[in-house]
Amino acid sequence: MVFVLDTTGSMSGLIKAAKEKIWSIASTMAQAETAPEIQMGLVGYRDRGDQYITKTTDLSEDLDSMYAKLMDFRAAGGGDGPESVNQALYEAVHKMSWSQGEDVYKVVFLVGDAPAHMDYQDDVKYPQTVKIASHTGIVVKAIQSGNNRAATKKWQRIARLG
């Protein structure tokens, strides 16, 4: 599983709860009765012009290390509404060391409060990335933080596509 987390300034009041939710999902999956082998990856994202666009940590079985990396994420930057969701999703799907076994459940949880920048010409747009994810057996789930109504429709679209 890969968690893609918006770490822009607009998440400052929401990021603590978002990180707690992410860890709750990860630990619940790790404690399932069938004792699955769990690997977790992270993509923190902001936007162009910020300190970083994405910070990616590849899949790992070391959940304690992943917890520490998750807790290190801080909200800053941003400034406009849309964020680099497209690049973050692309990296989650294409740059992780996904297991290739047929009995592997592969999932990306996208967590954020703002829609994707659809005006960046060199981005692979999320509908295309989600379609590729689906063809490779990766499920994309969208979890909206906050209650930005303008973002809700976009997040619902990502969820339907995923």
Side-chain angles (χ1 to χ4, degrees):
M1 67 188 135
V2 174
F3 293 94
V4 180
L5 177 62
D6 180 349
T7 61
T8 59
S10 64
M11 288 287 290
S12 61
L14 305 167
I15 198 163
K16 181 178 186 274
K19 292 189 295 188
E20 289 172 359
K21 184 66 171 176
I22 287 170
W23 191 247
S24 172
I25 292 168
S27 59
T28 299
M29 290 178 84
Q31 296 170 5
E33 278 190 41
T34 57
E37 293 179 28
I38 298 286
Q39 290 189 347
M40 181 177 166
L42 296 169
V43 179
Y45 69 93
R46 290 187 178 162
D47 201 6
R48 294 180 185 186
D50 291 336
Q51 182 182 21
Y52 59 86
I53 298 174
T54 59
K55 276 190 179 180
T56 303
T57 304
D58 200 6
L59 290 158
S60 171
E61 293 177 358
D62 184 354
L63 296 186
D64 291 334
S65 170
M66 297 308 278
Y67 178 80
K69 289 181 186 304
L70 173 65
M71 292 303 132
D72 282 344
F73 282 128
R74 300 287 177 255
D80 60 354
E83 312 298 358
S84 286
V85 175
N86 288 324
Q87 184 170 337
L89 274 177
Y90 182 89
E91 291 184 16
V93 171
H94 294 284
K95 296 197 175 183
M96 294 289 161
S97 302
W98 292 103
S99 298
Q100 298 305 312
E102 289 190 23
D103 61 342
V104 176
Y105 178 65
K106 298 180 272 190
V107 62
V108 171
F109 292 96
L110 173 65
V111 183
D113 70 338
H117 260 291
M118 299 304 277
D119 56 339
Y120 292 157
Q121 297 303 313
D122 55 345
D123 260 352
V124 177
K125 308 299 187 250
Y126 70 80
Q128 184 178 350
T129 299
V130 174
K131 185 175 184 178
I132 291 167
S134 177
H135 288 297
T136 59
I138 301 171
V139 176
V140 176
K141 299 196 176 273
I143 302 170
Q144 182 183 356
S145 296
N147 56 4
N148 178 335
R149 289 183 183 217
T152 299
K153 288 183 182 181
K154 306 295 184 185
W155 285 90
Q156 288 173 340
R157 181 165 187 236
I158 294 170
R160 279 192 309 274
L161 292 171

